[in-house]
């Protein structure tokens, strides 16, 4: 049974940083895509970043590029999302999920392609 558990959320000040973790059990991390999503208040869930089979396949959406970084620890079966220079607009529930890769270096960017969702971790950015 595949399970994903997000952690690391909390309260951060504008300009601050948080590192989210997504610990995966039941599948081999570097055989699937793992992506991070955000659901802000009164907004649709959106994809933020993903990583496919290859170590150099990290992808970050343009609107968070330069502030968010995805990485993984295969031995720990964990994917991370490092978030820097946070703003109040980053407030929301952050989820991770799995998908079959489109290629060793490419993950889907549509939410419908993802399954095995975690329960999310809340991030609040406020002064």
């Amino acid at each position: 049974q595949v399970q994903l558990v997000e952690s690391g959320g909390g309260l951060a000040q504008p300009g601050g940083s948080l590192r989210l973790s997504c610990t995966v059990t039941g599948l081999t991390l570097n055989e699937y895509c793992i992506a991070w999503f955000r659901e802000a208040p009164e907004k649709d869930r959106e994809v933020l970043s993903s990583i496919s089979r290859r170590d150099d396949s990290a992808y970050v959406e343009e609107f968070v590029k330069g502030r968010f970084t995805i990485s993984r620890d295969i031995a720990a079966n964990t994917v991370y999302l490092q978030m820097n220079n946070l703003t109040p607009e980053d407030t929301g529930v952050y989820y991770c999920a799995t998908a079959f890769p489109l290629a060793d270096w490419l993950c889907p960017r549509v939410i419908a392609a993802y399954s095995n969702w975690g329960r999310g971790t809340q991030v609040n950015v406020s002064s």
Side-chain angles (χ1 to χ4, degrees):
Q1 182 179 1
V2 178
Q3 287 189 322
L4 289 81
V5 178
E6 302 94 339
S7 62
L11 177 64
Q13 291 191 339
S17 298
L18 286 173
R19 189 176 80 156
L20 307 183
S21 299
C22 172
T23 301
V24 182
T25 56
L27 60 77
T28 304
L29 202 59
N30 59 352
E31 293 184 358
Y32 292 85
C33 283
I34 307 293
W36 282 99
F37 302 81
R38 173 174 70 197
E39 190 167 321
E42 301 181 0
K43 292 187 178 180
D44 293 334
R45 193 171 299 187
E46 57 187 351
V47 62
L48 300 172
S49 185
S50 62
I51 186 163
S52 189
R53 295 190 183 103
R54 279 170 37 176
D55 290 341
D56 62 348
S57 64
Y59 178 82
V60 180
E61 293 290 336
E62 196 64 33
F63 60 91
V64 292
K65 189 173 287 185
R67 298 193 301 123
F68 290 11
T69 304
I70 191 170
S71 63
R72 67 186 177 193
D73 182 338
I74 300 295
N77 240 37
T78 300
V79 176
Y80 303 99
L81 185 69
Q82 177 68 43
M83 306 188 297
N84 298 327
N85 196 20
L86 288 164
T87 73
E89 288 70 36
D90 294 316
T91 293
V93 181
Y94 285 69
Y95 300 90
C96 57
T98 68
F100 291 106
L102 300 175
D104 286 351
W105 50 273
L106 183 64
C107 292
R109 293 174 62 197
V110 291
I111 292 175
Y114 286 83
S115 57
N116 300 315
W117 292 81
R119 292 187 176 183
T121 185
Q122 177 72 46
V123 170
N124 292 308
V125 183
S126 174
S127 55

